[in-house]
Amino acid sequence: MVIIAVARVAGSLPVLRWAFFGAILAILVDFSDLFMMNLIQLGGVTNYQTFDKWIDQVYMLTFLWVAVRQWDGPGRTIAIWLFAFRAIGFVAFEFTESRWVLFLFPNVFEFWFVAIAAQRHWWPDYEFTAKRIFFWLIVCTALKLMQEYILHIWQVLDNYTAVGVVEAWWEFLTGLF
């Protein structure tokens, strides 16, 4: 668990320098713990969902730090509110340990941060009108709800190991040729 925690914390830090690319890296490192759990045999991870949600707080706090310190306007304000919403969900999950809570309080903050970081990186003159804010919130929410449903309600990844998924994809791809 210590190795995974160190990797997750280290993977969160680049966002402090490069908001968009750091966020993508932090999200990829978040998923990497699935591989690390399968490949590192030093005692395993107890209560993975709780451990994962606690470690998620590290990258989420780095995202929040960037949003508060470097952003202004509606991108910043909405990021703060979405962080608070997910924080409520995190606390509720800790009390209930029900994965439905993670679906009911989706981490839209994560997708919103990536969207705003991309906008600031590539389209700094893009103006956030009320209509555009509504549109992007709907897109981020729909995508995140789909991800939360797949991960926490449908629990697709619970039935597979990360190595097994890679092997299955490799067999599928090599079978095409």
Side-chain angles (χ1 to χ4, degrees):
M1 287 175 67
V2 171
I3 294 169
I4 293 170
V6 167
R8 294 278 302 274
V9 169
S12 300
L13 298 177
V15 78
L16 299 172
R17 175 71 175 94
W18 305 283
F20 177 75
F21 294 108
I24 298 301
L25 178 65
I27 292 166
L28 290 174
V29 171
D30 178 22
F31 279 111
S32 76
D33 60 10
L34 298 172
F35 288 94
M36 287 188 274
M37 285 189 316
N38 296 151
L39 299 174
I40 301 170
Q41 301 300 321
L42 296 173
V45 176
T46 56
N47 199 351
Y48 170 74
Q49 288 302 322
T50 297
F51 172 73
D52 180 59
K53 296 308 160 240
W54 274 100
I55 297 296
D56 283 352
Q57 300 312 302
V58 175
Y59 85 80
M60 289 179 57
L61 286 168
T62 61
F63 286 16
L64 182 65
W65 178 266
V66 169
V68 169
R69 303 277 295 180
Q70 298 178 13
W71 298 356
D72 56 10
R76 174 185 177 178
T77 304
I78 293 168
I80 293 167
W81 281 104
L82 290 173
F83 178 86
F85 177 74
R86 181 56 174 205
I88 292 167
F90 168 68
V91 171
F93 174 73
E94 284 301 304
F95 280 109
T96 66
E97 293 189 12
S98 169
R99 290 170 75 174
W100 269 100
V101 172
L102 300 172
F103 179 74
L104 296 174
F105 290 87
N107 189 4
V108 179
F109 169 71
E110 175 186 67
F111 283 17
W112 178 260
F113 183 89
V114 170
I116 299 302
Q119 175 266 323
R120 292 178 56 84
H121 184 77
W122 280 292
W123 305 282
D125 296 328
Y126 183 85
E127 184 181 339
F128 274 99
T129 63
K131 189 181 279 188
R132 287 179 175 173
I133 290 169
F134 181 74
F135 171 78
W136 287 113
L137 277 172
I138 294 296
V139 169
C140 291
T141 302
L143 290 172
K144 194 60 184 184
L145 279 172
M146 186 171 32
Q147 181 190 26
E148 299 284 15
Y149 187 84
I150 290 167
L151 293 177
H152 299 298
I153 306 306
W154 196 11
Q155 299 179 9
V156 169
L157 294 181
D158 289 8
N159 301 320
Y160 302 98
T161 65
V163 173
V165 170
V166 171
E167 288 173 346
W169 274 101
W170 178 254
E171 289 175 20
F172 171 76
L173 292 173
T174 56
L176 295 174
F177 304 104

